[in-house]
Each structure stands twice: as structure tokens, then as C-alpha cells.
Amino acid sequence: AAAKRARQLDPVNTARYTELAWVLALSGRHGEAQREIDRALQLNPRSFVIHVMKGWAYELTGQADAAFAAYRDALRFAGVPDESLRRIEAVYRAEGMPGYYRGWLNQRGGGMPMSDTWRAQLQIRAGELEQAIESLERAFEKREGALAWVNVDPGFQPLRSDARFQQIAARVGRQ
């Protein structure tokens, strides 16, 4: 309700749409989340963040090719060179989403934003669970705000049984 109200009060701010989409997706309301993302894209069709959100929403519903297309657009808008995008796409075609995530993690340059919390998400998706724990530990040391979602974000599911993850998640609640 608060996210919907924020969007109503600030209807030209794309962050209000992506925040609402995030909450809707986390609650399993994927269709509604996608509609909010589409509205945000109408306001800013070249936004890195909105395209990432679009990919995430597709990925949550098992639509890997649509997710990849949105992520590729995000990387393009972040300034990743076409040659690098072609390499990432080739890896995706050969290895699926884990290959894509490894490609993103190994991408040099392009000015892509990469917090340690986000790096951990990508590492999980690439199957690099040990590295993901290390990234989360760095994120906690930096007190990254995105860690607030660690206990509800489905992307962290592969780490939930790891005692180190449980310690981080418990400490986040006590910050």
C-alpha cells in the first residue's frame, strides 16, 4: 500500500514504479510487477535499473530468454561494448543463465553499478556460492542498504541453509 501511494504521489519518478514492482514480485504478483515495470519504461526506456528489474521479473516466472533480452538491454544502456555483449550472448546461448551471469561478473568496464549485495546475487545465479558468501560479508561490513532484503528475496534461497548466510541474515536484523 505504501509503495502504491508513493507512486501516486510521485507519478513521474521511475523509482516509485520499480519499488512497487519489487514489492509485488516478492509477494508473487508477477503480472502486476511487470505492468509497473512497463510503466516505468514508458517514462525512461533507456534505464539500466528498469531493464534489470524487467529481466528479474521475467526470470522469476521462468522466462529465461525474455529475462536475458532485458538484461542485455540493461548492459547496453550501461555502456557495455557491443563486442562484449556478443560474447555474453554466446555464453548465454551455450550455458544458459548461469553462463550469462558469469559473463556479467567478468565484464570489464562499461561503468556498470555493482554493489557487493548485487555481486552476491549474480554469483548465486552463476553457481558461485562461496564467492557469494564472501560478497555478502563485504556488503555487511559496508552496511549496504540492499541487505535489508536478504531475508525475503528469493534470489538468496540457494544460500539459506549455509550457516554463514544465516549469521549474516541474523546480523542484518540487528543492525
Side-chain angles (χ1 to χ4, degrees):
K4 283 182 180 179
R5 181 71 178 135
R7 189 204 55 209
Q8 290 170 345
L9 292 171
D10 196 3
V12 296
N13 186 336
T14 59
R16 302 296 79 85
Y17 293 86
T18 57
E19 289 164 356
L20 178 54
W22 178 263
V23 172
L24 289 166
L26 288 176
S27 63
R29 296 163 63 181
H30 304 294
E32 292 174 72
Q34 192 63 52
R35 283 190 291 281
E36 295 301 323
I37 293 165
D38 290 341
R39 289 178 182 143
L41 282 172
Q42 289 174 356
L43 294 170
N44 187 356
R46 299 180 56 83
S47 167
F48 171 84
V49 171
I50 299 169
H51 283 280
V52 167
M53 286 292 297
K54 183 176 184 175
W56 181 71
Y58 280 129
E59 196 170 353
L60 285 175
T61 59
Q63 299 177 63
D65 287 343
F68 175 76
Y71 290 145
R72 183 186 53 222
D73 288 343
L75 293 172
R76 181 177 295 115
F77 296 135
V80 174
D82 287 341
E83 180 181 321
S84 296
L85 290 172
R86 284 190 292 277
R87 284 195 305 269
I88 292 169
E89 183 163 4
V91 172
Y92 167 72
R93 297 289 174 217
E95 300 177 33
M97 290 307 288
Y100 159 74
Y101 289 120
R102 281 191 295 281
W104 190 341
L105 285 164
N106 295 323
Q107 172 58 40
R108 302 287 184 251
M112 294 184 307
M114 184 73 75
S115 69
D116 283 307
T117 306
W118 182 240
R119 180 174 298 281
Q121 284 276 354
L122 296 177
Q123 289 165 327
I124 291 166
R125 293 171 180 165
E128 300 173 357
L129 301 184
E130 287 299 317
Q131 294 91 330
I133 292 288
E134 292 169 10
S135 291
L136 285 176
E137 288 171 345
R138 283 191 305 276
F140 183 80
E141 289 170 13
K142 295 175 184 177
R143 301 296 195 258
E144 288 183 2
L147 278 176
W149 296 97
V150 77
N151 287 305
V152 294
D153 188 327
F156 291 109
Q157 187 59 39
L159 298 181
R160 296 208 191 283
S161 64
D162 187 301
R164 296 167 297 169
F165 175 83
Q166 293 168 5
Q167 290 174 344
I168 293 167
R171 291 186 311 196
V172 165
R174 294 191 302 260
Q175 283 190 27

